[in-house]
Amino acid sequence: AEYHTILVEQRGAVTLVTLNRPQALNALNTQVLDELIAAFAAFEADPGQRCAVVTGSGEKAFAAGADIKEMADKPMADFYLEDFFSRWTSDFTRKIRKPWIAAVNGFALGGGCELAMMADFILAADTAKFGQPEIKLGVAPGMGGSQRLTHAIGKSKAMEMVLTGRMMGAEEAERAGLVARVVPAADLLEDALKTAAQIAAMPPLAAMVNKELVNAAFELGLDQGILHERRLFQILAGTEDKAEGMRAFVEKREGQWKGR
Ligand code: HXC
């Protein structure tokens, strides 16, 4: 496929997607979002690709939000009739069953913060800044931010963030549990690709199941969640990769995965 607002490269079994509108701080307009959906559909469909990384081009931004210039003159009826951003909330994340990482290299604001939070986890440059400043534009998060930020950092902090629109630096984001790890900006991409390669080398069914189980913690009660975990554990126990993984451990060698 040909893309105009993102760059898509395959590095072994890792797909690297770079948001590429640096002149607009990688603001997410409809074209970027459509291309991201297409790139992720291709990633999901390609059995050779096992993990993805999304990052932003340039040094300043991951993505500074949905494209304000595109939204500025759009009438309310159009937002409603197009069900604006509907493909970007639960639809999109549910369809992507393979793991992916957001490598946040600068501003992740509004829709940019929301996109990062859709990832399975966030790796942040020490220069990263997160925020949901929509209130200052007279709106509110529209791609899951009010829910995912609250799940990630708790009510009080999420409420303060959305009501003031302030930005949160990388260190604070790590303390609050929004990001998995902070790394020096210069090392971010290499670290993210290395982490993704590590995940890509795991037994692929197990990777998908582990992702599904952690996500289930946000949807299910504890009893149901633990039951779901036990059942999927039992299903994995029937795979060829489980037999190989345990045999390889006993024989003190690396496993060779079939993805079955
Ligand atoms: C469109 C944007 C943009 C955005 C930046 N730009 N953010 N264009 N949409 N979200 C453009 C600027 O207009 C400018 O273009 C260029 O990128 C560089 O930005 P500057 O503002 O000049 O850079 P700087 O002074 O360094 O400030 C950086 C910044 C600021 C603090 C990140 O750009 C900013 O506050 N951006 C908006 C952040 C925001 O409100 N995001 C939430 C959007 S609403 P020109 O052409 O002038 O050079 C949202 C809603 C999601 O995401 C859900 C809705 C349903």
Side-chain angles (χ1 to χ4, degrees), residues 71-125:
M71 294 185 292
D73 298 322
K74 200 185 195 44
M76 177 266 167
D78 288 352
F79 278 99
Y80 187 80
L81 291 169
E82 293 167 18
D83 203 1
F84 204 64
F85 287 135
S86 61
R87 289 177 308 151
W88 272 89
T89 48
S90 10
D91 291 6
F92 169 74
T93 44
R94 273 202 195 107
K95 276 184 197 144
I96 307 307
R97 299 168 73 203
K98 294 177 183 177
W100 66 283
I101 303 169
V104 174
N105 53 306
F107 293 115
L109 303 177
C113 186
E114 294 172 300
L115 174 62
M117 290 191 292
M118 287 179 208
D120 295 312
F121 59 91
I122 299 173
L123 296 178

Side-chain angles (χ1 to χ4, degrees), residues 23 52 75 80 83 96 117 136 141 197 199 215-216 233-234 241 246:
Q23 72 290 352
Y80 187 80
D83 203 1
I96 307 307
M117 290 191 292
K136 296 183 192 170
I199 294 168
N215 283 333
F233 178 95
Q234 290 161 354
D241 284 349
M246 296 202 178

Side-chain angles (χ1 to χ4, degrees), residues 11-64:
R11 310 269 182 103
V14 173
T15 299
L16 172 62
V17 179
T18 307
L19 305 169
N20 193 29
R21 296 180 73 214
Q23 72 290 352
L25 302 184
N26 302 321
L28 305 167
N29 62 17
T30 304
Q31 190 180 6
V32 179
L33 294 175
D34 285 344
E35 291 188 3
L36 268 173
I37 289 173
F40 266 93
F43 160 67
E44 188 72 7
D46 184 342
Q49 293 301 294
R50 307 266 198 229
C51 188
V53 172
V54 176
T55 194
S57 67
E59 286 177 5
K60 263 180 87 173
F62 174 75

